[in-house]
Amino acid sequence: MKVILLRYGEIHLKGNNRRFFENALLKNIKSTLNGETFKLQHISGRYLITDYDEKREYAIIQKLVCVFGLHSISPAVVVENEPELILAECKKISVTGKFRVTTRRASKIFPIKSMQFSAMAGEVILDNCPNAVVDLHEPDTVINIDIRENGYTYISTQTIPCAGGMPVGTAGKGLLLLSGGIDSPVAGYFMAKRGMTIHALHFHSFPYTSELAKQKVITLAKLLSKYTGAIKLSFVSFTQVQEAINRNCDRDYMITIMRRIMMRISERLSKDVGAGAIITGESLGQVASQTLESITSTSAVTSMPIFRPLIGFDKLDIIDIARKIGTMETSILPYEDCCTVFLPKNPVTKPRLDRVEREESKLDIDKLVNDAYDTLETIDISPEY
Ligand code: ATP
Ligand code: MG
């Protein structure tokens, strides 16, 4: 019988935490595989997917490599703990190049010791694979024979690395400020990787920004949801805020004030949806609004924690990750973002808080925040495969 073995890290798991972690992981695996037929079993420190459609094996694995909390996956064959049965399966294995066999014998009633059994299995494989050689130190392929106490042996020839991290749902909820750019989806990815449930928020400036720009954000959220699971995506119109700042304030302070108003609206939404932190894609020094002084003046309007997982990353490193997680292509589609509308020529890079506050006093901030919040709409996003 074919099965898929799922391994998860056990390092940080103690006492009751372990149960909490496992339950969240189990729930996430099930919802990721929603629509597939399968059974899920728990065997010490691992999950086992059985009774699935073998034609769907690749698709199932593709989905599971994105589930945070899983460390690696191996498609495997399972037989009873009988030496002849195991060796018969080894006969079917085809390898080329350097390989080794690693036997783990959790069941001590199995009559042959691990090392000896690995050698026996190696011989059987060599007999059938003329282009294979044993290399214990630098093998290209490791064949794992896992002889378990439950009476079954799992034989696998492939270990596929997964996303790692902690299961989503184990570290509270974060409100991700999702622009259409490269950075914010990556920021959301990292916080979800630490177990945060994500609620995304996008500010648009319709009609200055287009319907296509909105679609782009929806696409980004869908790509991200392969990792985060189903999420909510909210939209708030920022048009009136921008027009008001444009009319009333020194244009060089436009971005600083915009970002402070974004934070106030974000705090409001966070309270309403139970988010305990705001997440942004900011990276120190990347643009005028991301200097230490700008970040300080943005943070000053809220007492909520603001998580900026990319703060110390180079742009090129962020781009690499965006490519790896599959958001890059969408992020670089050329639609206007609300921040590029009314962009000042010389944004201040070191806004002074007293100056910012003076400029802001020309606005009815509470009304702007309330009116913007009234435009809130929220949609459900789930992954598309
Ligand atoms: P990104 O690549 O994520 O767009 P950026 O390098 O363009 O980031 P900024 O435009 O200064 O930088 O935005 C910094 C952060 O502010 C973004 O990473 C995002 O978290 C948030 N943000 C910016 N614009 C929006 C928006 N229209 N809606 C929601 N969040 C936004
Ligand atoms: Mg941007």
Side-chain angles (χ1 to χ4, degrees):
M1 186 178 60
K2 292 204 75 182
V3 299
I4 304 173
L5 276 173
L6 314 179
R7 300 182 193 84
Y8 57 90
E10 288 171 85
I11 322 137
H12 15 242
L13 308 177
K14 295 197 197 80
N16 288 335
N17 268 343
R18 187 192 170 106
R19 196 39 63 70
F20 175 61
F21 172 98
E22 287 175 349
N23 286 344
L25 184 56
L26 196 64
K27 186 165 154 262
N28 297 347
I29 292 170
K30 283 183 183 160
S31 60
T32 301
L33 296 185
N34 189 16
E36 306 282 351
T37 42
F38 67 97
K39 283 191 185 141
L40 195 60
Q41 269 179 52
H42 199 185
I43 54 168
S44 58
R46 279 146 205 235
Y47 292 107
L48 206 58
I49 299 206
T50 64
D51 302 277
Y52 58 93
D53 178 357
E54 280 184 30
K55 290 195 291 297
R56 297 288 303 160
E57 185 174 275
Y58 180 76
I60 290 173
I61 292 173
Q62 287 306 103
K63 291 179 185 181
L64 290 173
V65 289
C66 299
V67 174
F68 291 127
L70 289 178
H71 283 250
S72 66
I73 296 182
S74 292
V77 175
V78 48
V79 294
E80 282 171 32
N81 289 353
E82 293 290 340
E84 308 79 59
L85 291 177
I86 302 170
L87 293 174
E89 279 308 320
C90 290
K91 257 196 188 134
K92 299 180 195 162
I93 292 173
S94 127
V95 277
T96 52
K98 298 183 273 184
F99 80 99
R100 68 168 287 165
V101 177
T102 302
T103 303
R104 254 175 253 100
R105 190 174 62 126
S107 166
K108 299 299 173 204
I109 34 173
F110 189 78
I112 305 165
K113 287 197 169 151
S114 305
M115 294 272 270
Q116 196 187 343
F117 196 71
S118 292
M120 288 165 72
E123 299 256 322
V124 168
I125 294 165
L126 277 176
D127 281 347
N128 288 291
C129 305
N131 297 318
V133 286
V134 173
D135 187 328
L136 299 184
H137 304 292
E138 287 185 331
D140 300 318
T141 309
V142 177
I143 292 153
N144 280 301
I145 301 179
D146 211 353
I147 304 164
R148 293 245 147 194
E149 278 166 321
N150 65 0
Y152 292 99
T153 297
Y154 303 90
I155 306 158
S156 64
T157 58
Q158 211 187 353
T159 300
I160 303 155
C162 294
M166 306 287 277
V168 169
T170 57
K173 189 186 281 184
L175 182 72
L176 171 66
L177 301 197
L178 185 62
S179 68
I182 297 169
D183 305 331
S184 44
V186 176
Y189 170 89
F190 276 123
M191 294 324 299
K193 183 169 181 177
R194 296 308 306 156
M196 282 202 117
T197 301
I198 300 295
H199 184 124
L201 166 62
H202 178 72
F203 294 97
H204 64 84
S205 309
F206 195 74
Y208 302 102
T209 57
S210 64
E211 182 58 30
L212 283 174
K214 184 175 175 184
Q215 282 307 321
K216 174 182 173 179
V217 174
I218 294 176
T219 306
L220 283 174
K222 278 187 182 159
L223 292 170
L224 192 60
S225 71
K226 289 185 183 176
Y227 303 93
T228 60
I231 58 173
K232 303 267 182 208
L233 168 60
S234 296
F235 291 94
V236 163
S237 169
F238 211 52
T239 314
Q240 289 196 4
V241 172
Q242 285 178 293
E243 286 174 345
I245 304 172
N246 196 39
R247 259 195 321 270
N248 298 294
C249 308
D250 179 343
R251 292 211 42 199
D252 292 349
Y253 280 79
M254 175 116 201
I255 292 196
T256 313
I257 299 171
M258 265 171 53
R259 303 200 59 79
R260 284 163 57 94
I261 298 181
M262 276 187 184
M263 283 302 158
R264 292 178 175 105
I265 298 170
S266 303
E267 184 180 81
R268 200 58 194 268
L269 181 59
S270 296
K271 298 233 158 80
D272 285 351
V273 302
I278 294 170
I279 303 164
T280 78
E282 287 160 305
S283 154
L284 190 66
Q286 201 187 81
V287 288
S289 62
Q290 297 176 17
T291 60
L292 177 57
E293 291 80 0
S294 297
I295 286 174
T296 306
S297 85
T298 309
S299 306
V301 297
T302 175
S303 56
M304 279 183 69
I306 302 174
F307 289 167
R308 300 177 171 94
L310 306 184
I311 199 69
F313 278 60
D314 288 354
K315 190 74 185 189
L316 289 178
D317 295 335
I318 301 171
I319 289 173
D320 272 352
I321 299 162
R323 287 224 168 83
K324 211 175 77 194
I325 68 175
T327 52
M328 185 66 188
E329 271 178 42
T330 307
S331 286
I332 56 179
L333 292 174
Y335 308 122
E336 290 267 289
D337 178 59
C338 83
C339 294
T340 50
V341 181
F342 306 112
L343 198 69
K345 280 202 192 64
N346 299 307
V348 281
T349 52
K350 297 188 174 183
R352 277 178 36 200
L353 207 50
D354 56 338
R355 234 352 256 296
V356 176
E357 282 166 356
R358 199 165 78 217
E359 288 304 316
E360 259 185 19
S361 69
K362 300 172 184 168
L363 302 169
D364 185 346
I365 297 278
D366 287 347
K367 183 167 181 344
L368 285 173
V369 170
N370 284 336
D371 289 354
Y373 200 67
D374 281 344
T375 68
L376 178 76
E377 36 158 354
T378 299
I379 59 175
D380 289 304
I381 298 285
S382 44
E384 275 171 14
Y385 294 102

